[in-house]
Amino acid sequence: MALRKEDVDALLAQARALPGAEFDIKWETRRVLSLERKMFALFHEDNVMYKVAADDFLVLSGLPGVRPAPYLARARWIEVASLEALNLEQLHAGIADARRLVLAKLPKAVRQRYEASA
């Protein structure tokens, strides 16, 4: 089943509630979520892209409806265009994990600030 606009909008709303998530529009149509100006997820009308752990990249990008994200695959991002292999809960968990991956690469003082507010 293809990812519908309503599904993407729901995922975006949930992801915007993550601590420190900053919303922006880039490239005219891409709704982007960042943490400390580091992107962790992109939302389009019929797909979602987000960062994944290096160990999970090959497995996830080979699932039905999932592929390496154009222009971002080298940074281990996937693009999900259907709910064939991953359901909405799994996508939300994946986006939350993408935020944690970005947080882990931020300076220690910034990480501690987010950990203290959690």
Side-chain angles (χ1 to χ4, degrees), residues 1-5 7-8 11 45-50 60 62-67 78-91:
M1 174 168 77
L3 201 55
R4 299 171 308 164
K5 184 181 182 315
D7 298 330
V8 174
L11 287 167
E45 286 186 16
D46 60 353
N47 65 52
V48 175
M49 293 183 236
Y50 58 91
L60 289 171
L63 294 175
V66 182
R67 69 180 187 143
I78 60 170
E79 176 184 62
V80 181
S82 90
L83 297 173
E84 221 174 317
L86 301 172
N87 63 36
L88 290 174
E89 287 179 22
Q90 291 169 316
L91 289 175

Side-chain angles (χ1 to χ4, degrees), residues 18 35 40 92-105:
L18 295 170
L35 180 67
F40 66 88
H92 177 64
I95 293 167
D97 286 342
R99 181 198 161 275
R100 282 190 284 277
L101 289 169
V102 168
L103 180 62
K105 292 197 173 203

Side-chain angles (χ1 to χ4, degrees), residues 30-87:
R30 295 288 175 161
R31 297 172 291 173
V32 177
L33 287 180
S34 304
L35 180 67
E36 297 292 321
R37 289 179 273 171
K38 304 288 185 189
M39 295 188 317
F40 66 88
L42 289 103
F43 301 81
H44 202 258
E45 286 186 16
D46 60 353
N47 65 52
V48 175
M49 293 183 236
Y50 58 91
K51 185 172 187 58
V52 297
D55 293 344
D56 297 332
F57 179 73
L58 285 176
V59 171
L60 289 171
S61 61
L63 294 175
V66 182
R67 69 180 187 143
Y71 307 106
L72 294 168
R74 65 184 172 87
R76 306 298 189 271
W77 281 60
I78 60 170
E79 176 184 62
V80 181
S82 90
L83 297 173
E84 221 174 317
L86 301 172
N87 63 36

